[in-house]
Amino acid sequence: MKYLTTISILSVFFLFICQPAAQAQRNTGGVRGIVTDSLTGERLSLVNIYIPAHGIGAATDANGFFLIGNIPAGKQQIRVTLIGYATQLQEVDVVAEEIVVLNLQLSPTVVEMGVVETTADRRIRYDTEISTQPITMAEISVVPKAVEADLFRAIAVLPGVVATSDVSSQFYVRGGGGDQNLIILDGMTIYNPFHALGIFSIFDADAIREAEIIKGGFPAQWGNRLSSVINIRTREGNKNRFSGKLNISQVSGKALVEGPTPWDGSWMLSMRKSLFDEVLQNFVRQETPFDFYDVIGRANVSTGDAGRLSLHMLFSGDQIRSESSFDPEYQWSNGAYGMSWFQVLENKYLIETTFSFSNFKGELRPRENSLISPRLSEVSDVYFNGSVTYFRDDGDQYGAGFMFRLPEYHFAFVNSANFQRDETRKNSETGIWFKYKLKQFRPFALEVGIRSDIFSLLSPNSADAFEPRLALSYDISPALSFKVSYARVHQRLVTITNEDDVVSLFETWIPILDDQPSQEADHYIIGVDGDVAFIPGLNFNLQGYFKDMRNLVEYNLDKVDAADPDFVRAEGRSYGVEAFLEEKHPKYYGMLSYSLSHTERTVGDFTYNPRYDRRHSLNIIAGWKPAAGWDVNLRWEYGSGLPFSQIVGFYDRLLFNGLFDGRGYIDESGEPYTMLGPKNTGRLPAYHRMDVSVSKAFKLEWAKLVVEASVLNVYDRNNMFYYDRTTGERIDMLPILPTVNLRVEF
């Protein structure tokens, strides 16, 4: 079956890339352009550009760029819509065999609805991608804040994404581990994106313009992770004037400033620093002093008609140091900076390049606790990625790209057999990819692609270098699309974590040895998405998926001898059904997501469900603007019980300490030891919780003042976290928790 799939994909791929360009219709042309905000000059993504007379259109990408091909020559009316902006109607004269340039500016407004066109933004932008979901700042802000507005908390409400606790914003996508998520910020790879034991991410929500989460069926340009890609893009900054925001909460103080630069550019700088930690201590249910900061910056200049050169940076740091010298100290930091270039050439070629350097360093220091061993994890990463896309007049697209990554890993830890390991490893990853998107035969669209790691071709595991991709869509009607997708992906980087840990305080990144096979996964996805015609503004998505995972690397908890391997190989399967409903309107917002999923792992002859295997997950979000300046948001979440290993008894384990000092061991009382039943055969009680937030904006002469109050776990549900294995005591998650936030915008 695997080889039949491979042969079929290659056959289709070469069939279409060998089409002669002469097949393009000679009486058609195209329109391309950049869409920006009229007030700030920022480029707008997800803008819907639609030609009603012919039922064709496109949506702007992350650079505000769009191109529509295969348009009949002559005068055409174009409708431009985005929720929160006034709808524009433009007339353009399409010239045969040419691409007409049409740059647009949209004016913000709360009056213009435009819901019919904007409901299809996601489907038009991702015409063949089936499991790609964009998240904007507006959607992040509608989720009631858990301490801070946070991107990862917003991602956790999507179908197919599981969060296992209130304490951590760590998430798991369609049965994959936490280290199987690729986190990208403006082209820079981020290895540890969490603050304060994972309570929230290091990405300040005010600095984020948009994020894409790809949950499966990756296009050819993405690889190196098995489960998901989180592609985050920061705000460009205000090109027209200096402006900013000041914010203080019960946790931190932060500031964001932005303004214009020479050469038609802009800049943005966001800074956040912890001030108080009482609320964070309520989250972790213990007195733990936190200290953290993060800085995100960006500067842009224009290069030609549509081009842009951007510089990016991120720095963050965390420290957890208790007053008791017996408690260990944790420190970790991130540093990343990079450059990206976007350019349109001859109206048909789109060039994008990124060069970046990133570093992560984490340390666990035992201080005076001799029972804890020190740990260190450091990753230094040099990364380059370049791609070119060619747009044909008939609407078809060719894409190709190349990437290389030169990471260096330094890690030190004591393994489960009490052996010290301290190693430095250098690695290299290269990737070359091609794809072809066939769009001229509406209502069909087809994307075929292939990705390969060049160095893997020369290694003992050359089969790992072949990653075919296939995606097909068929528009059943203007409002409904059917899609299928297949992708094979590999990963050669893992973290050392104990899957049984309720909260992972420290993760160590290590590469898989060159002579060992890569982790591998095949994604199979089928679904439908579209608009509900009789409810204006409502769109939906329904998907079924199966993910087959092989050669997974897991920590060997049974290691007792130096000759025993530190890691063992496992197989995995994940499958499920996901449903997503979203209603967008300038005055209100609604979202419902539901997942039915099953995940299992097999190590040798033993099969179990990992702790993030949640059978049912439901999220409901409602946002409402009852009057000018007021926002009311509500979230209700339900999740069926997560797996855990049950305590079946206790006994006093003898240490035999008296054998060598002459005291003997007859009178030794021993120490309590917990006996666990079969791994993860128990299930915790079901989880549910309601959060509410209310905010009011006041317009001052020189600024805008926003006061926000949130209440988490409104009805004080006792959601179980875990059983303490020392005492057998039940530990619950977050109780009812009110928070207050104050923001000034100028």
Side-chain angles (χ1 to χ4, degrees), residues 38 59 113 163 196 229 322 404 427 442 460 482 631 650 710:
S38 63
M113 291 175 56
V229 177
S322 174
F404 70 80
N427 201 355
R442 298 192 308 270
F482 169 79
D631 281 279
F650 299 90
S710 300

Side-chain angles (χ1 to χ4, degrees), residues 76-141:
Q76 304 290 347
Q77 188 180 71
I78 294 180
R79 182 176 297 170
V80 185
T81 57
L82 178 66
I83 279 288
Y85 290 82
T87 295
Q88 281 194 22
L89 296 177
Q90 293 276 344
E91 189 174 85
V92 61
D93 191 4
V94 179
V95 180
E97 299 185 67
E98 291 187 14
I99 303 294
V100 178
V101 178
L102 181 65
N103 294 325
L104 301 164
Q105 287 188 335
L106 294 186
S107 301
T109 178
V110 295
V111 178
E112 185 68 41
M113 291 175 56
V115 289
V116 175
E117 289 77 25
T118 57
T119 53
D121 284 354
R122 284 189 169 89
R123 188 170 64 85
I124 291 179
R125 175 164 167 179
Y126 307 106
D127 47 8
T128 54
E129 292 94 329
I130 189 172
S131 292
T132 302
Q133 180 103 25
I135 298 177
T136 64
M137 178 57 199
E139 290 160 330
I140 296 174
S141 64

Side-chain angles (χ1 to χ4, degrees), residues 132-366:
T132 302
Q133 180 103 25
I135 298 177
T136 64
M137 178 57 199
E139 290 160 330
I140 296 174
S141 64
V142 82
V143 179
K145 296 175 177 56
V147 182
E148 298 265 357
D150 188 66
L151 170 64
F152 288 174
R153 297 282 178 178
I155 287 175
V157 308
L158 299 178
V161 182
V162 172
T164 58
S165 76
D166 297 338
V167 173
S168 175
S169 59
Q170 174 70 274
F171 57 91
Y172 306 87
V173 179
R174 289 182 175 175
D179 61 356
Q180 295 176 9
N181 303 317
L182 176 62
I183 311 295
I184 299 289
L185 177 72
D186 290 330
M188 304 178 293
T189 305
I190 308 300
Y191 286 91
N192 185 10
F194 300 103
H195 273 315
L197 302 182
I199 293 177
F200 48 87
S201 74
I202 62 176
F203 311 118
D204 179 15
D206 288 338
I208 296 174
R209 176 164 58 96
E210 181 190 62
E212 289 176 329
I213 174 169
I214 308 173
K215 298 183 291 183
F218 302 162
Q221 63 265 35
W222 294 113
N224 307 108
R225 293 294 190 275
L226 296 189
S227 290
S228 76
V229 177
I230 314 298
N231 189 20
I232 307 167
R233 304 178 184 94
T234 57
R235 294 177 52 181
E236 297 177 356
N238 194 322
K239 290 175 61 176
N240 299 328
R241 69 179 184 90
F242 177 80
S243 62
K245 297 180 181 180
L246 300 175
N247 189 302
I248 187 167
S249 69
Q250 293 169 267
V251 173
S252 68
K254 59 183 181 179
L256 183 146
V257 288
E258 56 189 343
T261 67
W263 303 292
D264 192 30
S266 60
W267 61 273
M268 182 275 299
L269 181 65
S270 169
M271 299 165 285
R272 178 169 53 172
K273 177 69 173 67
S274 60
L275 299 178
F276 319 103
D277 56 14
E278 288 81 2
V279 174
L280 296 181
Q281 292 180 25
N282 287 335
F283 259 78
V284 298
R285 311 297 289 270
Q286 61 183 0
E287 295 184 4
T288 304
F290 295 89
D291 184 36
F292 65 84
Y293 72 89
D294 56 64
V295 179
I296 297 176
R298 174 171 182 164
N300 319 278
V301 295
S302 296
T303 58
D305 173 44
R308 180 181 56 192
L309 179 68
S310 301
L311 301 177
H312 315 275
M313 72 169 185
L314 174 141
F315 297 99
S316 73
D318 285 75
Q319 183 181 45
I320 300 176
R321 184 181 176 89
S322 174
E323 294 182 0
S324 171
S325 60
F326 190 75
D327 293 331
E329 176 185 0
Y330 297 90
Q331 286 189 344
W332 63 96
S333 62
N334 288 280
Y337 45 89
M339 177 180 66
S340 61
W341 179 49
F342 166 87
Q343 189 69 53
V344 179
L345 298 177
E346 298 182 4
N347 287 338
K348 293 186 177 182
Y349 295 90
L350 178 63
I351 297 175
E352 294 183 86
T353 61
T354 298
F355 179 79
S356 69
F357 172 82
S358 61
N359 175 268
F360 160 70
K361 184 176 182 179
E363 291 184 271
L364 185 160
R365 300 172 180 173

Side-chain angles (χ1 to χ4, degrees), residues 164-165 167-168 170 172 178 197 330 364 375 414 416 495-508 555 557 608-612 642-645 676 679-680 684 721-723 725:
T164 58
S165 76
V167 173
S168 175
Q170 174 70 274
Y172 306 87
L197 302 182
Y330 297 90
L364 185 160
R375 296 180 67 175
V414 176
S416 57
T495 57
I496 302 174
T497 56
N498 182 353
E499 195 271 338
D500 292 320
D501 290 339
V502 177
V503 177
S504 180
L505 300 181
F506 195 91
E507 293 186 341
T508 303
Y555 199 38
L557 299 178
Y608 69 96
N609 302 112
R611 65 182 178 89
Y612 45 83
L642 296 169
F644 77 106
S645 299
L676 298 179
K679 183 179 177 66
N680 289 353
L684 296 174
F721 195 5
Y722 63 93
Y723 283 110
R725 291 180 178 173

Side-chain angles (χ1 to χ4, degrees), residues 414-580:
V414 176
N415 61 25
S416 57
N418 204 33
F419 295 105
Q420 176 72 39
R421 294 191 61 181
D422 190 335
E423 298 183 31
T424 298
R425 293 184 192 172
K426 292 185 178 181
N427 201 355
S428 59
E429 299 176 12
T430 61
I432 186 169
W433 59 269
F434 302 93
K435 71 176 182 180
Y436 178 70
K437 183 177 287 190
L438 177 72
K439 300 180 65 176
Q440 59 179 293
F441 300 115
R442 298 192 308 270
F444 288 96
L446 175 68
E447 182 174 316
V448 291
I450 186 170
R451 181 183 179 91
S452 178
D453 185 332
I454 299 174
F455 287 167
S456 294
L457 292 172
L458 307 176
S459 74
N461 305 292
S462 58
D464 293 349
F466 181 65
E467 297 186 354
R469 313 290 169 87
L470 174 65
L472 170 70
S473 69
Y474 173 71
D475 290 340
I476 302 170
S477 71
L480 186 65
S481 182
F482 169 79
K483 299 179 181 180
V484 295
S485 175
Y486 166 78
R488 175 171 296 167
V489 290
H490 294 97
Q491 180 173 336
R492 298 196 61 81
L493 179 66
V494 298
T495 57
I496 302 174
T497 56
N498 182 353
E499 195 271 338
D500 292 320
D501 290 339
V502 177
V503 177
S504 180
L505 300 181
F506 195 91
E507 293 186 341
T508 303
W509 290 94
I510 67 168
I512 296 175
L513 295 175
D514 292 338
D515 60 349
Q516 297 294 315
S518 301
Q519 298 183 115
E520 182 178 80
D522 285 331
H523 299 189
Y524 304 87
I525 310 169
I526 185 170
V528 293
D529 62 36
D531 311 323
V532 180
F534 56 87
I535 305 179
L538 182 66
N539 58 42
F540 75 95
N541 186 294
L542 179 66
Q543 295 182 26
Y545 69 90
F546 177 80
K547 182 159 62 176
D548 183 23
M549 296 169 280
R550 298 172 294 280
N551 295 322
L552 300 178
V553 176
E554 294 197 355
Y555 199 38
N556 185 7
L557 299 178
D558 297 325
K559 180 182 177 75
V560 295
D561 186 80
D564 294 335
D566 287 325
F567 304 95
V568 293
R569 293 287 179 162
E571 308 294 310
R573 289 151 296 282
S574 177
Y575 52 90
V577 177
E578 301 171 1
F580 180 81

